[in-house]
Amino acid sequence: MTHSNEWTERRLTRLEKRDGDHRNAYQRDKARIMHSAAFRRLQAKTQVLGIGISDFYRTRLTHSLEAAQIGTGIAAQLTQKQAELSAQLGIDEHLIESLCLAHDIGHPPFGHGGEIALHYMMHEHGGFEGNGQTFRILTKLETYSPSDGMNLARRTLLGLIKYPNYIDLLTNHHLETEKPESHRLVKSKQWHPPKGLYLCDKNAFDWVVAPLSSNDQQRFSEFSVGDDRHSKTRYKSIDCSIMELADDIAYAIHDLEDAIVMSMVTRDSFEVEIVAPIKTLELPWLSVQIDVLTDNLFSAAPYERKNAIGALVNCFITAISIEKQDLFESELIDYNAQFAENYQIALGLFKSFVFNYVIRKPELQLLEYKGQQIVMALFEAFSSEPERLLPTNTAKRWLEADSDISKHRVLADYISGMTDEYATRLYNHLFLPKSNAVTDSLTP
C-alpha cells in the first residue's frame, strides 16, 4: 500500500509534539534538508564549471534548486494528466521537491575529479560514490538525531536510492589496474566508481526496504553485468524516477544555458549535434519549433534565450507519464515515470552535447584533474597521521572506528564534506610553504 503509515515512519520516533505544526512528513523532510549543513555547502561545490571561473554559472546548489522546481512541475502535471493514478500512488510535490533538493548533497568537492580521487583512495575499503554518500549523510552523518542522520521518512529515503545495491558487488575489478607509482598517474577512466551504496550502510538500507516483500526486495536490487564496465542496477521507485527526470532536464537544458552565455559552444555545433537529429525524430512541437528555439537560444537578447530555455523545459516536462512495469508487488517500485517515445533520445542529445562540448573541454578537465590531485593529497596526509592532523571531532570519530575500513570511511566522510574552496585552502596550508593561514574547523 503506497499510503501505508509505514512509508512515513522514521527510524527514530520523535516523541515531542509541536503545537500548531500541521505539516506532513515530507514537508518536515524538506525543512530538514534545506537547513542542513550538507545542503548549504552545495553553494560552493562544482556543478559543471569550476568554482571561481565566473559568478554567473550554476553551482551544485542552484542546480538542485532548479531540479526541485522542475520536479514539482513534473509532479503537478502528472497529477493533472493522470489524476487517479497519481492519487493512488500518493504523488506528493513536497516529497519530490525534497528528493531534488537532496539528491546531490553527497557529491565531493571538484565534481567527478573529487569522486574519482576518493574512490581511488577508498577502493580497498568499500569505495566512494556520490549517491552512496548522499544516503550515508541522510541516514547517519547529519546531526538531526544521535545516530540516524536527518531521520527522514522511509519513503523519502527510498526515493533517494537511485542505485539499490552495494559498490562491492557492482565493481568490475578488471577495470581497476594496479596502483600507479604516483597519484599523478591515476587515470580517471580506470577509477570511475560503480553507482551504489556502501556495505557499511546496509542496516539503513535494510530498514528502508523492510515493507517490501522478500521477492520485491530481491528483484529491486538486481543489476546488469557488462564486460567493459561496472554493473548497474535496474530499478528505482516512482518518486526516484521523477527526481531523476528532473535532474536530467536541469542538467541538459539549464547547464546548456551556462555554456551558451559563456561562449563555450557555437551555434554551428548546436545545429549539427542537436537541431538536425531532432528534426528526424518527428517529435510533436519540438521538431517543428527547433529552428525558432535555436534562434532564441543564440540571440543577443537575454529574454529570448530565457524564453527558449523555459519552452524546452516545458516540452520535456509535459512529455512525461507514469507507466506500470508489471514486475513488482509494491506499486511504489512497480510504477515509474518516463518520457514518451523519442523524447528520451532527444534529451540524450542535449546531455551529450553538454558533456562533449563543455565537460570534456581541456580547460575544465585541467581543473578537474587539479581537484583530483588536491583530494588525493589531503587523503594521504590525513591517513598518515590522523590524530595529529584531523580536527578534534573528526579525530574522535577516527579513534572510535572499530576497523581499518571504518577508519578510512571517516576520512572519506570528512574530505567529501569539504567545499572546493575549503579543500583548496587546506591543501595550500598543508603543502605550500608560504601559506600560514589557519583554516576553520569543518564538521561534515
Side-chain angles (χ1 to χ4, degrees), residues 403-414:
S403 68
D404 190 44
I405 289 177
S406 299
K407 289 181 183 297
H408 276 76
R409 184 60 64 194
V410 170
L411 301 182
D413 289 341
Y414 174 53

Side-chain angles (χ1 to χ4, degrees), residues 275-299:
V275 176
I278 278 182
K279 286 180 177 179
T280 67
L281 291 173
E282 298 182 350
L283 298 167
W285 186 84
L286 183 57
S287 294
V288 175
Q289 293 294 317
I290 190 64
D291 285 326
V292 175
L293 289 168
T294 303
D295 289 339
N296 291 339
L297 282 172
F298 289 89
S299 168

Side-chain angles (χ1 to χ4, degrees), residues 80-322:
Q80 281 199 335
K81 186 162 71 174
Q82 297 173 279
E84 189 175 329
L85 183 56
S86 294
Q88 176 184 329
L89 295 173
I91 302 298
D92 185 291
E93 288 188 25
H94 296 291
L95 169 58
I96 302 303
E97 188 176 9
S98 297
L99 303 183
C100 293
L101 291 172
H103 80 281
D104 264 355
I105 62 174
H107 283 265
F110 309 111
H112 292 295
E115 185 176 56
I116 288 163
L118 283 172
H119 181 60
Y120 174 76
M121 302 304 288
M122 288 290 294
H123 79 280
E124 294 178 347
H125 306 281
F128 181 91
E129 197 269 329
N131 297 285
Q133 191 68 20
T134 293
F135 185 72
R136 182 168 174 79
I137 289 170
L138 298 173
T139 59
K140 186 176 180 64
L141 299 181
E142 270 290 345
T143 54
Y144 278 77
S145 66
S147 60
D148 295 300
M150 291 192 201
N151 194 34
L152 302 180
R154 183 184 261 120
R155 180 163 172 173
T156 304
L157 292 173
L158 181 70
L160 282 158
I161 299 174
K162 295 169 69 173
Y163 309 101
N165 210 317
Y166 303 105
I167 288 176
D168 302 62
L169 301 178
L170 299 169
T171 299
N172 181 350
H173 293 286
H174 293 298
L175 298 178
E176 298 177 350
T177 58
E178 291 184 8
K179 279 192 172 184
E181 295 179 3
S182 164
H183 288 165
R184 295 183 180 181
L185 299 177
V186 172
K187 298 183 185 300
S188 62
K189 64 181 180 182
Q190 294 173 337
W191 294 98
H192 273 288
K195 295 181 182 298
L197 305 172
Y198 307 141
L199 266 177
C200 59
D201 297 321
K202 183 177 185 300
N203 286 342
F205 176 65
D206 288 345
W207 179 82
V208 172
V209 298
L212 302 177
S213 69
S214 57
N215 286 338
D216 274 4
Q217 288 184 32
Q218 184 174 351
R219 172 164 275 183
F220 188 53
S221 294
E222 285 180 359
F223 53 85
S224 53
V225 180
D227 294 334
D228 60 344
R229 59 187 61 191
H230 295 302
S231 299
K232 187 174 182 180
T233 58
R234 295 173 175 170
Y235 306 113
K236 56 186 65 70
S237 72
I238 175 64
D239 306 311
C240 185
S241 69
I242 295 173
M243 176 265 284
E244 274 207 303
L245 292 175
D247 184 24
D248 284 349
I249 294 171
Y251 167 79
I253 307 301
H254 283 303
D255 290 354
L256 170 67
E257 182 182 11
D258 284 357
I260 292 172
V261 172
M262 297 180 72
S263 300
M264 300 184 73
V265 296
T266 65
R267 176 166 181 158
D268 287 345
S269 60
F270 185 82
E271 288 184 338
V272 171
E273 303 285 341
I274 301 289
V275 176
I278 278 182
K279 286 180 177 179
T280 67
L281 291 173
E282 298 182 350
L283 298 167
W285 186 84
L286 183 57
S287 294
V288 175
Q289 293 294 317
I290 190 64
D291 285 326
V292 175
L293 289 168
T294 303
D295 289 339
N296 291 339
L297 282 172
F298 289 89
S299 168
Y303 68 88
E304 290 187 340
R305 185 182 64 251
K306 286 290 184 188
N307 246 349
I309 292 293
L312 282 169
V313 170
N314 180 72
C315 169
F316 284 107
I317 285 177
T318 53
I320 293 169
S321 59
I322 301 171

Side-chain angles (χ1 to χ4, degrees), residues 44 46 50-52 109-110 367 370-375 377-378 382 415 418-432 435 437 439 442:
T46 294
I51 299 296
F110 309 111
L367 289 172
K370 178 182 177 181
Q372 183 177 313
Q373 298 305 310
I374 288 173
V375 169
L378 290 176
F382 290 128
I415 295 173
M418 297 178 182
T419 63
D420 296 26
E421 174 63 23
Y422 184 90
T424 301
R425 281 193 287 118
L426 190 55
Y427 177 90
N428 292 342
H429 182 51
L430 279 170
F431 299 111
L432 300 186
S435 176
T439 56
L442 179 71

Side-chain angles (χ1 to χ4, degrees), residues 368-396:
E368 193 171 286
Y369 176 82
K370 178 182 177 181
Q372 183 177 313
Q373 298 305 310
I374 288 173
V375 169
M376 287 191 289
L378 290 176
F379 198 105
E380 187 175 50
F382 290 128
S383 61
S384 68
E385 288 200 75
E387 294 179 70
R388 179 185 182 191
L389 299 177
L390 288 173
T392 304
N393 60 329
T394 309
K396 182 174 182 290

